[in-house]
Amino acid sequence: MQSRVPGAAGYEQKAEELARRYEGMTFEAVHKEFLPWLPPAPGRVLDIGAGSGRDAAALATRGHQVVAVEPTPELRRIGQRLHPDTAIRWIDDALPSLTGLQGPFDFTLLSAVWMHLDEQERVEAMQRLADLVAPGGCVALSLRHGPVPTGRRMFAVSAAETVALAERFGLSAVHRGQGSDRLSREDVSWSTLVFRAEQPTRAGVSR
């Protein structure tokens, strides 16, 4: 059955295989560049494209209240089975709308999600992320570069374009990284980006 979310196409047929791959790597190993930007105290965290729930579970064990957004029913069911943590609330939703969510969130994670959105969807999605993030909060995303797997919907999106788009909506880049693929695929590389929402300026105080 074709996914109702274009960017999620191809994930439903290989949900079990993908879940095993995701769960075979730890949150800390995959997202080590994001660790310094996690909220220092327990807060509200949003995991968009939560997949098997690996990242959501790791964030919940750190004391955060986690909302896990996953549009693929097969993956969502696997995540709920593998990580039955009461601190995780699972939502059937997707960018760019995320209609079922209310902010603010102290930290938002998008792991291998952004390149599934077309140009107009990326504009709408970045505006929505900016609306959901708390002042001073962070949005962290990993961006895949390389050939598109058969049956998937992906677009060539650069880190520079993503940074420029975020700035349009008041999100400033505080981290930029580039690395090889953790599955050792020679034709695949990744960008890691962290954006911080601008703090509101207090009356009479300039930044």
Side-chain angles (χ1 to χ4, degrees):
M1 184 178 67
Q2 182 66 32
S3 173
R4 63 180 174 78
V5 178
Y11 283 86
E12 63 276 13
Q13 295 92 341
K14 296 186 175 182
E16 291 288 349
E17 175 188 338
L18 290 169
R20 285 192 295 271
R21 184 189 303 173
Y22 299 154
E23 296 294 323
M25 297 178 284
T26 66
F27 169 82
E28 291 79 8
V30 175
H31 299 306
K32 63 181 180 180
E33 293 180 66
F34 295 155
L35 298 180
W37 304 101
L38 293 177
R44 293 193 76 209
V45 171
L46 177 60
D47 182 9
I48 300 174
S52 66
R54 176 200 65 201
D55 298 343
L59 291 163
T61 60
R62 286 170 160 77
H64 302 299
Q65 292 295 316
V66 181
V67 175
V69 176
E70 177 50 59
T72 303
E74 293 83 356
L75 281 172
R76 198 168 58 249
R77 286 194 291 268
I78 291 170
Q80 290 171 313
R81 184 185 78 232
L82 294 178
H83 306 288
D85 194 309
T86 56
I88 303 173
R89 181 163 67 96
W90 287 86
I91 299 256
D92 176 13
D93 209 336
L95 285 171
S97 57
L98 293 179
T99 54
L101 290 179
Q102 287 187 328
F105 290 94
D106 302 296
F107 185 85
T108 298
L109 175 66
L110 300 93
S111 179
V113 169
W114 198 248
M115 68 280 176
H116 290 301
L117 305 173
D118 66 26
E119 184 175 6
Q120 183 56 41
E121 288 171 335
R122 293 196 296 273
V123 173
E124 296 172 8
M126 192 65 80
Q127 182 171 18
R128 186 71 177 115
L129 292 173
D131 290 341
L132 289 169
V133 68
C138 289
V139 176
L141 66 86
S142 59
L143 181 58
R144 183 188 190 276
H145 309 290
V148 179
T150 302
R152 302 280 179 84
R153 180 207 197 222
M154 293 183 186
F155 301 91
V157 188
S158 71
E161 172 197 316
T162 308
V163 168
L165 180 59
E167 289 176 347
R168 285 175 51 185
F169 297 103
L171 299 174
S172 302
V174 292
H175 168 80
R176 304 185 198 190
Q178 187 76 25
S180 58
D181 182 57
R182 295 191 181 279
L183 296 176
S184 300
R185 293 169 293 191
E186 294 183 0
D187 54 355
V188 174
S189 63
W190 295 83
S191 296
T192 52
L193 300 168
V194 179
F195 305 104
R196 184 158 51 203
E198 296 179 358
Q199 291 272 18
T201 304
R202 291 180 294 166
V205 179
S206 59
R207 287 181 294 177

mmCIF file of all heavy atoms in Angstrom, residues 50-99:
data_model
loop_
_atom_site.group_PDB
_atom_site.id
_atom_site.type_symbol
_atom_site.label_atom_id
_atom_site.label_comp_id
_atom_site.label_asym_id
_atom_site.label_seq_id
_atom_site.Cartn_x
_atom_site.Cartn_y
_atom_site.Cartn_z
ATOM 1 N N ALA A 50 10.193 9.412 13.917
ATOM 2 C CA ALA A 50 10.778 8.672 15.043
ATOM 3 C C ALA A 50 11.144 7.233 14.706
ATOM 4 O O ALA A 50 11.881 6.597 15.465
ATOM 5 C CB ALA A 50 9.820 8.696 16.235
ATOM 6 N N GLY A 51 10.633 6.707 13.598
ATOM 7 C CA GLY A 51 11.020 5.365 13.168
ATOM 8 C C GLY A 51 10.735 4.308 14.202
ATOM 9 O O GLY A 51 9.603 4.145 14.673
ATOM 10 N N SER A 52 11.761 3.567 14.598
ATOM 11 C CA SER A 52 11.616 2.465 15.555
ATOM 12 C C SER A 52 11.575 2.935 17.004
ATOM 13 O O SER A 52 11.425 2.126 17.909
ATOM 14 C CB SER A 52 12.775 1.481 15.393
ATOM 15 O OG SER A 52 13.999 2.096 15.774
ATOM 16 N N GLY A 53 11.734 4.224 17.233
ATOM 17 C CA GLY A 53 11.669 4.754 18.587
ATOM 18 C C GLY A 53 12.981 4.758 19.350
ATOM 19 O O GLY A 53 13.016 5.127 20.521
ATOM 20 N N ARG A 54 14.071 4.371 18.690
ATOM 21 C CA ARG A 54 15.377 4.329 19.359
ATOM 22 C C ARG A 54 15.730 5.669 19.992
ATOM 23 O O ARG A 54 16.109 5.749 21.176
ATOM 24 C CB ARG A 54 16.462 3.936 18.363
ATOM 25 C CG ARG A 54 17.884 3.951 18.903
ATOM 26 C CD ARG A 54 18.893 4.023 17.771
ATOM 27 N NE ARG A 54 18.787 5.281 17.031
ATOM 28 C CZ ARG A 54 19.242 5.460 15.797
ATOM 29 N NH1 ARG A 54 19.833 4.467 15.153
ATOM 30 N NH2 ARG A 54 19.110 6.638 15.199
ATOM 31 N N ASP A 55 15.627 6.733 19.211
ATOM 32 C CA ASP A 55 16.023 8.054 19.701
ATOM 33 C C ASP A 55 15.046 8.569 20.748
ATOM 34 O O ASP A 55 15.455 9.147 21.763
ATOM 35 C CB ASP A 55 16.126 9.042 18.539
ATOM 36 C CG ASP A 55 17.183 8.639 17.526
ATOM 37 O OD1 ASP A 55 18.049 7.807 17.859
ATOM 38 O OD2 ASP A 55 17.136 9.154 16.390
ATOM 39 N N ALA A 56 13.753 8.371 20.506
ATOM 40 C CA ALA A 56 12.750 8.815 21.469
ATOM 41 C C ALA A 56 12.961 8.148 22.822
ATOM 42 O O ALA A 56 12.864 8.789 23.877
ATOM 43 C CB ALA A 56 11.349 8.519 20.936
ATOM 44 N N ALA A 57 13.282 6.853 22.800
ATOM 45 C CA ALA A 57 13.504 6.129 24.051
ATOM 46 C C ALA A 57 14.730 6.656 24.776
ATOM 47 O O ALA A 57 14.724 6.821 26.005
ATOM 48 C CB ALA A 57 13.650 4.639 23.765
ATOM 49 N N ALA A 58 15.803 6.925 24.022
ATOM 50 C CA ALA A 58 17.025 7.438 24.646
ATOM 51 C C ALA A 58 16.782 8.805 25.269
ATOM 52 O O ALA A 58 17.303 9.112 26.350
ATOM 53 C CB ALA A 58 18.141 7.522 23.611
ATOM 54 N N LEU A 59 15.994 9.611 24.614
ATOM 55 C CA LEU A 59 15.681 10.935 25.147
ATOM 56 C C LEU A 59 14.784 10.827 26.379
ATOM 57 O O LEU A 59 14.941 11.584 27.345
ATOM 58 C CB LEU A 59 15.018 11.785 24.064
ATOM 59 C CG LEU A 59 15.955 12.183 22.907
ATOM 60 C CD1 LEU A 59 15.151 12.640 21.694
ATOM 61 C CD2 LEU A 59 16.913 13.283 23.359
ATOM 62 N N ALA A 60 13.858 9.880 26.360
ATOM 63 C CA ALA A 60 12.970 9.690 27.513
ATOM 64 C C ALA A 60 13.755 9.218 28.735
ATOM 65 O O ALA A 60 13.461 9.623 29.862
ATOM 66 C CB ALA A 60 11.873 8.685 27.163
ATOM 67 N N THR A 61 14.770 8.368 28.526
ATOM 68 C CA THR A 61 15.557 7.891 29.664
ATOM 69 C C THR A 61 16.353 9.023 30.304
ATOM 70 O O THR A 61 16.792 8.896 31.451
ATOM 71 C CB THR A 61 16.522 6.763 29.250
ATOM 72 O OG1 THR A 61 17.433 7.244 28.253
ATOM 73 C CG2 THR A 61 15.756 5.574 28.703
ATOM 74 N N ARG A 62 16.546 10.109 29.562
ATOM 75 C CA ARG A 62 17.223 11.288 30.122
ATOM 76 C C ARG A 62 16.265 12.186 30.885
ATOM 77 O O ARG A 62 16.660 13.251 31.363
ATOM 78 C CB ARG A 62 17.891 12.087 28.993
ATOM 79 C CG ARG A 62 19.149 11.423 28.439
ATOM 80 C CD ARG A 62 19.618 12.131 27.159
ATOM 81 N NE ARG A 62 21.018 11.855 26.869
ATOM 82 C CZ ARG A 62 21.479 10.735 26.354
ATOM 83 N NH1 ARG A 62 20.627 9.751 26.053
ATOM 84 N NH2 ARG A 62 22.763 10.559 26.118
ATOM 85 N N GLY A 63 15.016 11.760 30.996
ATOM 86 C CA GLY A 63 14.045 12.502 31.794
ATOM 87 C C GLY A 63 13.151 13.433 31.012
ATOM 88 O O GLY A 63 12.299 14.111 31.598
ATOM 89 N N HIS A 64 13.315 13.471 29.694
ATOM 90 C CA HIS A 64 12.505 14.382 28.881
ATOM 91 C C HIS A 64 11.128 13.794 28.599
ATOM 92 O O HIS A 64 10.957 12.573 28.510
ATOM 93 C CB HIS A 64 13.209 14.669 27.550
ATOM 94 C CG HIS A 64 14.578 15.259 27.711
ATOM 95 N ND1 HIS A 64 14.800 16.462 28.346
ATOM 96 C CD2 HIS A 64 15.801 14.802 27.328
ATOM 97 C CE1 HIS A 64 16.098 16.727 28.339
ATOM 98 N NE2 HIS A 64 16.727 15.732 27.735
ATOM 99 N N GLN A 65 10.146 14.667 28.447
ATOM 100 C CA GLN A 65 8.823 14.271 27.970
ATOM 101 C C GLN A 65 8.871 14.306 26.452
ATOM 102 O O GLN A 65 9.025 15.375 25.856
ATOM 103 C CB GLN A 65 7.753 15.221 28.516
ATOM 104 C CG GLN A 65 7.542 15.133 30.014
ATOM 105 C CD GLN A 65 6.987 13.781 30.436
ATOM 106 O OE1 GLN A 65 6.068 13.247 29.804
ATOM 107 N NE2 GLN A 65 7.537 13.221 31.508
ATOM 108 N N VAL A 66 8.750 13.152 25.824
ATOM 109 C CA VAL A 66 9.009 13.025 24.397
ATOM 110 C C VAL A 66 7.722 12.800 23.612
ATOM 111 O O VAL A 66 6.904 11.943 23.973
ATOM 112 C CB VAL A 66 9.982 11.864 24.116
ATOM 113 C CG1 VAL A 66 10.280 11.755 22.622
ATOM 114 C CG2 VAL A 66 11.279 12.058 24.903
ATOM 115 N N VAL A 67 7.572 13.567 22.540
ATOM 116 C CA VAL A 67 6.522 13.322 21.554
ATOM 117 C C VAL A 67 7.206 12.740 20.323
ATOM 118 O O VAL A 67 8.088 13.375 19.734
ATOM 119 C CB VAL A 67 5.763 14.603 21.192
ATOM 120 C CG1 VAL A 67 4.753 14.333 20.077
ATOM 121 C CG2 VAL A 67 5.047 15.169 22.412
ATOM 122 N N ALA A 68 6.823 11.520 19.949
ATOM 123 C CA ALA A 68 7.414 10.829 18.805
ATOM 124 C C ALA A 68 6.431 10.872 17.644
ATOM 125 O O ALA A 68 5.332 10.315 17.727
ATOM 126 C CB ALA A 68 7.741 9.389 19.174
ATOM 127 N N VAL A 69 6.821 11.533 16.567
ATOM 128 C CA VAL A 69 5.977 11.659 15.385
ATOM 129 C C VAL A 69 6.447 10.668 14.332
ATOM 130 O O VAL A 69 7.612 10.697 13.928
ATOM 131 C CB VAL A 69 6.050 13.093 14.811
ATOM 132 C CG1 VAL A 69 5.254 13.196 13.512
ATOM 133 C CG2 VAL A 69 5.542 14.100 15.833
ATOM 134 N N GLU A 70 5.554 9.778 13.907
ATOM 135 C CA GLU A 70 5.913 8.792 12.879
ATOM 136 C C GLU A 70 4.679 8.499 12.009
ATOM 137 O O GLU A 70 3.694 7.948 12.499
ATOM 138 C CB GLU A 70 6.426 7.497 13.526
ATOM 139 C CG GLU A 70 6.756 6.380 12.556
ATOM 140 C CD GLU A 70 7.654 6.848 11.413
ATOM 141 O OE1 GLU A 70 8.763 7.334 11.689
ATOM 142 O OE2 GLU A 70 7.226 6.726 10.247
ATOM 143 N N PRO A 71 4.748 8.843 10.714
ATOM 144 C CA PRO A 71 3.586 8.654 9.839
ATOM 145 C C PRO A 71 3.411 7.243 9.298
ATOM 146 O O PRO A 71 2.347 6.919 8.764
ATOM 147 C CB PRO A 71 3.866 9.636 8.698
ATOM 148 C CG PRO A 71 5.352 9.698 8.617
ATOM 149 C CD PRO A 71 5.835 9.561 10.042
ATOM 150 N N THR A 72 4.437 6.397 9.407
ATOM 151 C CA THR A 72 4.341 5.042 8.873
ATOM 152 C C THR A 72 3.801 4.101 9.957
ATOM 153 O O THR A 72 4.493 3.859 10.958
ATOM 154 C CB THR A 72 5.727 4.546 8.401
ATOM 155 O OG1 THR A 72 6.241 5.455 7.419
ATOM 156 C CG2 THR A 72 5.624 3.154 7.804
ATOM 157 N N PRO A 73 2.576 3.579 9.798
ATOM 158 C CA PRO A 73 1.972 2.757 10.857
ATOM 159 C C PRO A 73 2.833 1.566 11.261
ATOM 160 O O PRO A 73 2.916 1.232 12.446
ATOM 161 C CB PRO A 73 0.644 2.304 10.242
ATOM 162 C CG PRO A 73 0.334 3.307 9.177
ATOM 163 C CD PRO A 73 1.664 3.752 8.642
ATOM 164 N N GLU A 74 3.471 0.921 10.279
ATOM 165 C CA GLU A 74 4.274 -0.262 10.569
ATOM 166 C C GLU A 74 5.435 0.080 11.503
ATOM 167 O O GLU A 74 5.717 -0.658 12.448
ATOM 168 C CB GLU A 74 4.800 -0.869 9.261
ATOM 169 C CG GLU A 74 3.723 -1.466 8.366
ATOM 170 C CD GLU A 74 3.015 -0.424 7.492
ATOM 171 O OE1 GLU A 74 3.302 0.782 7.634
ATOM 172 O OE2 GLU A 74 2.176 -0.825 6.686
ATOM 173 N N LEU A 75 6.110 1.187 11.238
ATOM 174 C CA LEU A 75 7.211 1.602 12.112
ATOM 175 C C LEU A 75 6.698 2.069 13.466
ATOM 176 O O LEU A 75 7.315 1.803 14.500
ATOM 177 C CB LEU A 75 8.018 2.718 11.439
ATOM 178 C CG LEU A 75 9.022 2.278 10.370
ATOM 179 C CD1 LEU A 75 9.613 3.491 9.654
ATOM 180 C CD2 LEU A 75 10.142 1.441 10.989
ATOM 181 N N ARG A 76 5.584 2.762 13.455
ATOM 182 C CA ARG A 76 5.032 3.269 14.718
ATOM 183 C C ARG A 76 4.667 2.111 15.646
ATOM 184 O O ARG A 76 4.935 2.155 16.850
ATOM 185 C CB ARG A 76 3.814 4.147 14.428
ATOM 186 C CG ARG A 76 3.428 5.061 15.583
ATOM 187 C CD ARG A 76 2.418 6.110 15.152
ATOM 188 N NE ARG A 76 1.200 5.547 14.600
ATOM 189 C CZ ARG A 76 0.830 5.631 13.315
ATOM 190 N NH1 ARG A 76 1.618 6.239 12.440
ATOM 191 N NH2 ARG A 76 -0.291 5.094 12.894
ATOM 192 N N ARG A 77 4.082 1.069 15.095
ATOM 193 C CA ARG A 77 3.720 -0.093 15.916
ATOM 194 C C ARG A 77 4.967 -0.786 16.467
ATOM 195 O O ARG A 77 4.994 -1.221 17.624
ATOM 196 C CB ARG A 77 2.873 -1.064 15.093
ATOM 197 C CG ARG A 77 1.443 -0.601 14.868
ATOM 198 C CD ARG A 77 0.575 -1.729 14.355
ATOM 199 N NE ARG A 77 0.923 -2.118 12.986
ATOM 200 C CZ ARG A 77 0.344 -1.607 11.893
ATOM 201 N NH1 ARG A 77 -0.600 -0.679 12.020
ATOM 202 N NH2 ARG A 77 0.703 -2.013 10.700
ATOM 203 N N ILE A 78 6.013 -0.882 15.639
ATOM 204 C CA ILE A 78 7.264 -1.485 16.102
ATOM 205 C C ILE A 78 7.857 -0.649 17.238
ATOM 206 O O ILE A 78 8.305 -1.193 18.254
ATOM 207 C CB ILE A 78 8.263 -1.602 14.937
ATOM 208 C CG1 ILE A 78 7.789 -2.638 13.928
ATOM 209 C CG2 ILE A 78 9.657 -1.971 15.462
ATOM 210 C CD1 ILE A 78 8.580 -2.657 12.640
ATOM 211 N N GLY A 79 7.862 0.660 17.077
ATOM 212 C CA GLY A 79 8.400 1.544 18.106
ATOM 213 C C GLY A 79 7.656 1.423 19.422
ATOM 214 O O GLY A 79 8.275 1.379 20.503
ATOM 215 N N GLN A 80 6.337 1.332 19.342
ATOM 216 C CA GLN A 80 5.542 1.196 20.560
ATOM 217 C C GLN A 80 5.782 -0.150 21.226
ATOM 218 O O GLN A 80 5.740 -0.253 22.455
ATOM 219 C CB GLN A 80 4.063 1.377 20.213
ATOM 220 C CG GLN A 80 3.708 2.805 19.823
ATOM 221 C CD GLN A 80 2.295 2.931 19.270
ATOM 222 O OE1 GLN A 80 1.875 2.151 18.415
ATOM 223 N NE2 GLN A 80 1.565 3.913 19.747
ATOM 224 N N ARG A 81 6.060 -1.167 20.424
ATOM 225 C CA ARG A 81 6.322 -2.497 20.978
ATOM 226 C C ARG A 81 7.704 -2.571 21.613
ATOM 227 O O ARG A 81 7.877 -3.134 22.700
ATOM 228 C CB ARG A 81 6.210 -3.545 19.858
ATOM 229 C CG ARG A 81 6.384 -4.985 20.350
ATOM 230 C CD ARG A 81 6.397 -5.970 19.191
ATOM 231 N NE ARG A 81 7.679 -5.991 18.479
ATOM 232 C CZ ARG A 81 7.811 -5.846 17.170
ATOM 233 N NH1 ARG A 81 6.754 -5.633 16.401
ATOM 234 N NH2 ARG A 81 9.015 -5.915 16.624
ATOM 235 N N LEU A 82 8.703 -1.983 20.948
ATOM 236 C CA LEU A 82 10.080 -2.068 21.440
ATOM 237 C C LEU A 82 10.346 -1.135 22.616
ATOM 238 O O LEU A 82 11.191 -1.434 23.467
ATOM 239 C CB LEU A 82 11.063 -1.741 20.311
ATOM 240 C CG LEU A 82 11.123 -2.717 19.144
ATOM 241 C CD1 LEU A 82 12.108 -2.212 18.096
ATOM 242 C CD2 LEU A 82 11.527 -4.110 19.619
ATOM 243 N N HIS A 83 9.643 -0.024 22.653
ATOM 244 C CA HIS A 83 9.928 0.996 23.669
ATOM 245 C C HIS A 83 8.628 1.455 24.343
ATOM 246 O O HIS A 83 8.182 2.591 24.151
ATOM 247 C CB HIS A 83 10.641 2.187 23.021
ATOM 248 C CG HIS A 83 11.866 1.799 22.253
ATOM 249 N ND1 HIS A 83 13.034 1.391 22.867
ATOM 250 C CD2 HIS A 83 12.106 1.744 20.915
ATOM 251 C CE1 HIS A 83 13.949 1.127 21.947
ATOM 252 N NE2 HIS A 83 13.414 1.320 20.764
ATOM 253 N N PRO A 84 8.019 0.584 25.149
ATOM 254 C CA PRO A 84 6.755 0.934 25.804
ATOM 255 C C PRO A 84 6.975 1.875 26.994
ATOM 256 O O PRO A 84 6.611 1.560 28.126
ATOM 257 C CB PRO A 84 6.221 -0.432 26.237
ATOM 258 C CG PRO A 84 7.456 -1.241 26.499
ATOM 259 C CD PRO A 84 8.467 -0.784 25.484
ATOM 260 N N ASP A 85 7.568 3.020 26.713
ATOM 261 C CA ASP A 85 7.916 3.974 27.766
ATOM 262 C C ASP A 85 6.783 4.983 27.910
ATOM 263 O O ASP A 85 6.358 5.600 26.947
ATOM 264 C CB ASP A 85 9.218 4.694 27.399
ATOM 265 C CG ASP A 85 9.811 5.446 28.575
ATOM 266 O OD1 ASP A 85 9.071 6.222 29.202
ATOM 267 O OD2 ASP A 85 10.995 5.248 28.864
ATOM 268 N N THR A 86 6.302 5.157 29.137
ATOM 269 C CA THR A 86 5.170 6.068 29.357
ATOM 270 C C THR A 86 5.539 7.521 29.103
ATOM 271 O O THR A 86 4.673 8.368 28.959
ATOM 272 C CB THR A 86 4.638 5.924 30.788
ATOM 273 O OG1 THR A 86 5.714 6.154 31.704
ATOM 274 C CG2 THR A 86 4.063 4.541 31.015
ATOM 275 N N ALA A 87 6.844 7.829 29.045
ATOM 276 C CA ALA A 87 7.268 9.205 28.790
ATOM 277 C C ALA A 87 7.276 9.532 27.297
ATOM 278 O O ALA A 87 7.601 10.643 26.920
ATOM 279 C CB ALA A 87 8.646 9.463 29.381
ATOM 280 N N ILE A 88 6.922 8.549 26.461
ATOM 281 C CA ILE A 88 6.856 8.781 25.020
ATOM 282 C C ILE A 88 5.392 8.800 24.581
ATOM 283 O O ILE A 88 4.644 7.853 24.820
ATOM 284 C CB ILE A 88 7.587 7.681 24.224
ATOM 285 C CG1 ILE A 88 9.043 7.573 24.654
ATOM 286 C CG2 ILE A 88 7.506 7.957 22.727
ATOM 287 C CD1 ILE A 88 9.781 6.400 24.032
ATOM 288 N N ARG A 89 4.997 9.885 23.916
ATOM 289 C CA ARG A 89 3.653 9.956 23.336
ATOM 290 C C ARG A 89 3.790 9.875 21.822
ATOM 291 O O ARG A 89 4.408 10.728 21.199
ATOM 292 C CB ARG A 89 2.960 11.269 23.738
ATOM 293 C CG ARG A 89 1.535 11.394 23.186
ATOM 294 C CD ARG A 89 0.758 12.466 23.923
ATOM 295 N NE ARG A 89 1.289 13.799 23.686
ATOM 296 C CZ ARG A 89 0.805 14.654 22.765
ATOM 297 N NH1 ARG A 89 -0.212 14.300 22.002
ATOM 298 N NH2 ARG A 89 1.327 15.854 22.627
ATOM 299 N N TRP A 90 3.216 8.825 21.240
ATOM 300 C CA TRP A 90 3.315 8.603 19.800
ATOM 301 C C TRP A 90 2.198 9.325 19.058
ATOM 302 O O TRP A 90 1.047 9.299 19.489
ATOM 303 C CB TRP A 90 3.266 7.112 19.485
ATOM 304 C CG TRP A 90 4.528 6.393 19.853
ATOM 305 C CD1 TRP A 90 4.840 5.871 21.076
ATOM 306 C CD2 TRP A 90 5.651 6.139 19.004
ATOM 307 N NE1 TRP A 90 6.095 5.294 21.036
ATOM 308 C CE2 TRP A 90 6.619 5.445 19.776
ATOM 309 C CE3 TRP A 90 5.938 6.422 17.658
ATOM 310 C CZ2 TRP A 90 7.836 5.039 19.258
ATOM 311 C CZ3 TRP A 90 7.157 6.014 17.134
ATOM 312 C CH2 TRP A 90 8.083 5.336 17.923
ATOM 313 N N ILE A 91 2.567 9.957 17.936
ATOM 314 C CA ILE A 91 1.614 10.726 17.125
ATOM 315 C C ILE A 91 1.723 10.290 15.671
ATOM 316 O O ILE A 91 2.831 10.162 15.136
ATOM 317 C CB ILE A 91 1.922 12.240 17.209
ATOM 318 C CG1 ILE A 91 1.798 12.710 18.649
ATOM 319 C CG2 ILE A 91 1.046 13.024 16.273
ATOM 320 C CD1 ILE A 91 0.580 13.465 18.980
ATOM 321 N N ASP A 92 0.589 10.120 15.020
ATOM 322 C CA ASP A 92 0.534 9.843 13.586
ATOM 323 C C ASP A 92 0.411 11.183 12.864
ATOM 324 O O ASP A 92 -0.677 11.734 12.734
ATOM 325 C CB ASP A 92 -0.662 8.948 13.271
ATOM 326 C CG ASP A 92 -0.831 8.706 11.775
ATOM 327 O OD1 ASP A 92 0.100 9.020 10.999
ATOM 328 O OD2 ASP A 92 -1.906 8.209 11.379
ATOM 329 N N ASP A 93 1.554 11.711 12.411
ATOM 330 C CA ASP A 93 1.562 13.034 11.773
ATOM 331 C C ASP A 93 2.852 13.149 10.970
ATOM 332 O O ASP A 93 3.690 12.244 10.983
ATOM 333 C CB ASP A 93 1.478 14.139 12.830
ATOM 334 C CG ASP A 93 0.799 15.410 12.302
ATOM 335 O OD1 ASP A 93 0.816 15.624 11.066
ATOM 336 O OD2 ASP A 93 0.278 16.188 13.121
ATOM 337 N N ALA A 94 3.009 14.254 10.266
ATOM 338 C CA ALA A 94 4.201 14.439 9.436
ATOM 339 C C ALA A 94 4.360 15.899 9.075
ATOM 340 O O ALA A 94 3.400 16.667 9.101
ATOM 341 C CB ALA A 94 4.107 13.600 8.157
ATOM 342 N N LEU A 95 5.599 16.267 8.757
ATOM 343 C CA LEU A 95 5.848 17.579 8.179
ATOM 344 C C LEU A 95 5.276 17.603 6.755
ATOM 345 O O LEU A 95 5.184 16.565 6.110
ATOM 346 C CB LEU A 95 7.358 17.855 8.136
ATOM 347 C CG LEU A 95 8.030 18.192 9.462
ATOM 348 C CD1 LEU A 95 9.551 18.215 9.292
ATOM 349 C CD2 LEU A 95 7.554 19.528 10.005
ATOM 350 N N PRO A 96 4.879 18.775 6.236
ATOM 351 C CA PRO A 96 5.146 20.087 6.834
ATOM 352 C C PRO A 96 4.090 20.594 7.819
ATOM 353 O O PRO A 96 4.308 21.604 8.464
ATOM 354 C CB PRO A 96 5.182 21.002 5.603
ATOM 355 C CG PRO A 96 4.223 20.375 4.653
ATOM 356 C CD PRO A 96 4.394 18.879 4.846
ATOM 357 N N SER A 97 2.937 19.903 7.952
ATOM 358 C CA SER A 97 1.849 20.494 8.727
ATOM 359 C C SER A 97 1.962 20.271 10.230
ATOM 360 O O SER A 97 1.856 21.216 11.011
ATOM 361 C CB SER A 97 0.502 19.956 8.227
ATOM 362 O OG SER A 97 0.483 18.535 8.301
ATOM 363 N N LEU A 98 2.174 19.016 10.650
ATOM 364 C CA LEU A 98 2.196 18.685 12.084
ATOM 365 C C LEU A 98 0.993 19.301 12.798
ATOM 366 O O LEU A 98 1.125 19.960 13.830
ATOM 367 C CB LEU A 98 3.503 19.160 12.733
ATOM 368 C CG LEU A 98 4.784 18.462 12.285
ATOM 369 C CD1 LEU A 98 5.985 19.059 12.999
ATOM 370 C CD2 LEU A 98 4.720 16.960 12.532
ATOM 371 N N THR A 99 -0.173 19.049 12.255
ATOM 372 C CA THR A 99 -1.386 19.685 12.765
ATOM 373 C C THR A 99 -1.756 19.243 14.173
ATOM 374 O O THR A 99 -2.447 19.957 14.892
ATOM 375 C CB THR A 99 -2.566 19.400 11.825
ATOM 376 O OG1 THR A 99 -2.678 17.967 11.635
ATOM 377 C CG2 THR A 99 -2.353 20.053 10.469
#
